[in-house]
Amino acid sequence: MTASVHPLNPAPSLDPLVALTASDMNAVNQVILARMQSQVPLIPELAGYLIAGGGKRMRPMLTCASAALCQYPGSRHHSLAAAVEFIHTATLLHDDVVDVSETRRGKRTANVIWGNPASVLVGDFLFSRAFELMVEDGSLKVLKILSRASAVIAEGEVAQLTAQRQIGTSEDTYLSIIEAKTAALFAAACHIAPVVAEAGEEAEEALNSFGRNLGIAFQLVDDAIDYTSEAGTSGKDLGDDFREGKMTLPIILAYARGSDDDRRFWREAVGGERTGDDDLAHAIALFHRTNAIADTLERARTYARRALDNLAPFPAGKAKAALTQAVEFAVARAY
């Protein structure tokens, strides 16, 4: 597989994807609204707060766009896209508890407002709703894809937790973590569409790989812009990963390329001894000196090109064009 065939559009937009999936997403949102209801008032209150929190809903849009790419005329993908969003939302609730996060996309996190126990339990509720939707669809193959993705995401989150503040974390380990915690759901979101469309094994393999490569590119960019942009772009406050001691690729590269003094700084910073604003500024300076951010973004572009390669089997049209721009947008967020 090549990774350098496609030049990336310098000014892409999610608008074509949003326009392509608008009708489908209205149906998906109706499912989400109906299925997050409960006789326990706290559940829809907390779930609604997070679901309405300004996210792009990129994962369910990918399910809908992949269905369009496979020319699927039915509606099964609406409930499955809602299941994908519930899985994603549940992981956000759990992540914010684990990370002790206070803001997401510029708003207070649910755990700050309602507390950790409520956030964890509502996350569990949303996972359960997702599995109800999977079972109701009736396809064992779809159930296998989404249930496996849920397990892999959990494994990735645990792996990230064990790598936290571990300066010896390798690039291979990091890539395996983001492939699990982020790319697995992107892949599953795309993979289920050709299954319900009965589009065949080649389409399934292509869209599964497309989602995986897009997800890796998306997370690489997220990890880079944690050090370069404000919460409105990344969904997090500047330097959250640094203060939490998360071993992301910029730190791995900067540590490997640094001087003895640089490495001492990174050991202390990752160990939690140097996490102030001045320390963050010094870390950002080291990233630039070692080209760690630039090379992280270049790796993201490589995975983005692979994702574009994965679309090759599909005919030209609005769906393919929208997915192409979605890939380009994923990496352009950093610029």
Side-chain angles (χ1 to χ4, degrees), residues 209-220:
S209 296
F210 167 80
R212 192 170 308 280
N213 285 317
L214 172 57
I216 293 172
F218 192 92
Q219 187 62 55
L220 283 164

Side-chain angles (χ1 to χ4, degrees), residues 36-51 93 109-123 125-126:
M36 73 182 192
Q37 299 306 314
S38 168
Q39 292 182 350
V40 180
L42 177 60
I43 292 175
E45 182 183 1
L46 193 156
Y49 176 82
L50 187 57
I51 288 171
L93 282 167
T109 52
N111 50 296
V112 169
I113 298 173
W114 288 280
N116 288 343
S119 292
V120 170
L121 293 172
V122 173
F125 173 85
L126 295 178

Side-chain angles (χ1 to χ4, degrees), residues 13-311:
S13 168
L14 273 185
D15 290 348
L17 185 68
V18 172
L20 175 76
T21 62
S23 177
D24 282 329
M25 286 302 297
N26 284 335
V28 172
N29 289 333
Q30 289 176 10
V31 176
I32 290 172
L33 182 62
R35 292 307 184 102
M36 73 182 192
Q37 299 306 314
S38 168
Q39 292 182 350
V40 180
L42 177 60
I43 292 175
E45 182 183 1
L46 193 156
Y49 176 82
L50 187 57
I51 288 171
K56 300 177 183 68
R57 302 268 175 98
M58 191 165 186
R59 293 154 189 82
M61 280 199 294
L62 288 172
T63 300
C64 295
S66 297
L69 189 68
C70 296
Q71 301 177 340
Y72 174 58
S75 60
R76 286 170 58 193
H77 61 301
H78 296 153
S79 292
L80 295 175
V84 167
E85 183 65 8
F86 279 151
I87 292 169
H88 176 57
T89 305
T91 63
L92 294 184
L93 282 167
H94 291 167
D95 286 353
D96 286 343
V97 171
V98 171
D99 295 339
V100 198
S101 299
E102 296 184 356
T103 61
R104 179 175 290 279
R105 303 187 187 105
K107 295 176 60 178
R108 289 191 300 165
T109 52
N111 50 296
V112 169
I113 298 173
W114 288 280
N116 288 343
S119 292
V120 170
L121 293 172
V122 173
D124 292 345
F125 173 85
L126 295 178
F127 266 126
S128 300
R129 281 293 197 235
F131 276 85
E132 284 181 350
L133 290 166
M134 295 178 217
V135 171
E136 289 170 13
D137 178 73
S139 167
L140 283 177
K141 191 167 190 176
V142 165
L143 180 59
K144 182 178 180 179
I145 291 167
L146 288 174
S147 61
R148 177 58 184 158
S150 298
V152 169
I153 293 165
E155 290 175 336
E157 295 292 354
V158 174
Q160 178 174 261
L161 186 64
T162 59
Q164 194 166 342
R165 302 205 181 281
Q166 300 298 313
I167 194 64
T169 302
S170 69
E171 184 173 341
D172 286 346
T173 297
Y174 162 80
L175 287 172
S176 70
I177 289 171
I178 68 170
E179 185 170 356
K181 79 182 189 73
T182 300
L185 190 56
F186 274 78
C190 296
H191 189 178
I192 56 179
V195 173
V196 300
E198 300 181 355
E201 189 172 325
E202 182 183 8
E204 287 184 35
E205 290 178 359
L207 280 168
N208 180 59
S209 296
F210 167 80
R212 192 170 308 280
N213 285 317
L214 172 57
I216 293 172
F218 192 92
Q219 187 62 55
L220 283 164
V221 172
D222 259 13
D223 290 346
I225 63 179
D226 185 68
Y227 296 104
T228 61
S229 67
E230 300 302 327
T233 301
S234 68
K236 302 180 294 185
D237 290 328
L238 186 71
D240 275 356
D241 288 351
F242 175 77
R243 295 184 179 91
E244 293 164 12
K246 287 186 178 178
M247 287 301 296
T248 58
L249 190 57
I251 291 180
I252 292 169
L253 294 178
Y255 179 73
R257 297 169 180 179
S259 65
D260 288 344
D261 285 344
D262 295 342
R263 288 181 171 224
R264 185 179 305 110
F265 166 79
W266 286 119
R267 285 193 294 270
E268 293 171 354
V270 170
E273 299 171 37
R274 299 188 64 172
T275 59
D277 291 344
D278 289 344
D279 299 313
L280 175 59
H282 183 60
I284 292 171
L286 293 181
F287 288 142
H288 290 300
R289 187 192 307 166
T290 58
N291 291 319
I293 297 291
D295 286 350
T296 296
L297 294 174
E298 184 54 41
R299 281 169 171 76
R301 286 191 287 269
T302 295
Y303 281 100
R305 293 183 181 105
R306 291 177 182 174
L308 295 178
D309 285 343
N310 296 136
L311 294 177

